[in-house]
Amino acid sequence: MSFFLPFSMKGLKSSYAASIATGDMTQIEEKHHIHQHLSDFFQVSVREETAVDALGGIGVKARHDLDPLLMLPADHWEQFVANRKTKGKFVFVYTVSRTKEALAYAKTYAKQNNAKVISWGPMFKPTT
């Protein structure tokens, strides 16, 4: 529970582009506790639009902000792609949770564009 900053004073806490990793709070038993902890925050900012709606559904006002990783300049990312092993066109899929919808969409898009799918993330085995 340290990510709710219990050691900080009420009204002085703020989040920027946090991720709640879900857009559906209906299955989460701790909704009351999440609402209680986040009510101490001066502002709540999340990186997923679905998280704004999910938190709103439990009475927490949040705003949508860009994932900080997407604010880095292109030359930062070039170090990771300069020596890539994959040749040709591909669709890269990175997700925190393995959603069938995201992978199905990527496969459809890749097929339409004569590309292959490369997936990576906590719920995927890396593919190349």
Side-chain angles (χ1 to χ4, degrees), residues 107-124:
K107 287 179 178 180
T108 300
Y109 182 85
K111 186 175 182 177
Q112 292 170 347
N113 291 279
N114 195 28
K116 68 184 209 173
V117 174
I118 298 173
S119 57
W120 189 84
M123 299 301 286
F124 286 113

Side-chain angles (χ1 to χ4, degrees), residues 4 16 31 39 46 64 68 74 76 83 90 105:
F4 288 116
Y16 177 77
K31 288 183 285 220
S39 66
V46 291
H64 176 233
H76 172 82
N83 297 320
F90 63 91
Y105 179 81

Side-chain angles (χ1 to χ4, degrees):
M1 296 305 258
S2 62
F3 43 83
F4 288 116
L5 307 174
F7 48 83
S8 183
M9 293 175 51
K10 182 177 183 172
L12 296 178
K13 305 175 194 181
S14 181
S15 78
Y16 177 77
S19 178
I20 64 170
T22 184
D24 181 12
M25 299 291 271
T26 59
Q27 301 299 318
I28 298 177
E29 295 179 16
E30 299 86 13
K31 288 183 285 220
H32 173 73
H33 297 293
I34 293 170
H35 175 267
Q36 183 180 4
H37 289 298
L38 290 180
S39 66
D40 286 352
F41 279 64
F42 170 71
Q43 69 177 12
V44 176
S45 158
V46 291
R47 57 182 78 169
E48 303 95 355
E49 287 183 40
T50 55
V52 173
D53 295 334
L55 289 172
I58 63 167
V60 176
K61 183 179 178 189
R63 74 170 195 231
H64 176 233
D65 281 315
L66 185 64
D67 184 327
L69 290 176
L70 299 175
M71 294 181 186
L72 294 170
D75 60 343
H76 172 82
W77 298 109
E78 288 174 0
Q79 66 181 319
F80 300 106
V81 296
N83 297 320
R84 72 176 191 209
K85 297 176 184 177
T86 303
K87 303 291 183 205
K89 291 172 33 174
F90 63 91
V91 175
F92 180 72
V93 178
Y94 174 84
T95 60
V96 174
S97 61
R98 186 175 186 165
T99 60
K100 293 178 184 177
E101 296 84 7
L103 194 53
Y105 179 81
K107 287 179 178 180
T108 300
Y109 182 85
K111 186 175 182 177
Q112 292 170 347
N113 291 279
N114 195 28
K116 68 184 209 173
V117 174
I118 298 173
S119 57
W120 189 84
M123 299 301 286
F124 286 113
K125 292 181 181 175
T127 62
T128 55

